[in-house]
Amino acid sequence: MRLDKYLKVSRIIKRRTVANEACDAQRVIVNGKAARASYEVRENDIIEINLGAKPLKIRVIKTTEHVSKETASDNYTIIQ
């Protein structure tokens, strides 16, 4: 699954266009490297998002195409 779509589906970022812009501005880092929106997210990837005052660091648990609001947080765990 593409990185921008994963961020939207898992409800880390509300809109896919915002996720795409964050990737273009190099505010999203995957496994220690700045990642483009087209990066293929895999299980156990570590994603760091630097939007706002507090950066967010997560580990990808699973990638699913469609998720309900209640189960969206099952796709990742927060690190730190």
Side-chain angles (χ1 to χ4, degrees), residues 44-47 57-61 75-79:
N44 294 320
D45 279 349
I46 296 177
I47 301 174
K57 191 173 185 179
I58 63 168
R59 178 183 305 273
V60 177
I61 301 296
N75 287 342
Y76 62 90
T77 58
I78 298 175
I79 302 173

Side-chain angles (χ1 to χ4, degrees), residues 8-76:
K8 192 251 183 218
V9 167
S10 59
R11 290 177 167 78
I12 297 169
I13 296 178
K14 290 190 180 214
R15 291 185 171 47
R16 189 168 175 181
T17 55
V18 175
N20 201 331
E21 292 169 1
C23 292
D24 289 344
Q26 296 185 349
R27 294 185 175 271
V28 180
I29 299 169
V30 180
N31 298 328
K33 295 181 183 178
R36 301 182 75 183
S38 61
Y39 176 82
E40 279 295 315
V41 176
R42 295 176 186 86
E43 293 178 4
N44 294 320
D45 279 349
I46 296 177
I47 301 174
E48 298 175 51
I49 304 163
N50 298 312
L51 293 175
K54 186 176 180 185
L56 178 65
K57 191 173 185 179
I58 63 168
R59 178 183 305 273
V60 177
I61 301 296
K62 60 184 176 179
T63 58
T64 54
E65 292 289 326
H66 303 287
V67 181
S68 67
K69 183 168 46 171
E70 292 80 22
T71 62
S73 62
D74 294 343
N75 287 342
Y76 62 90

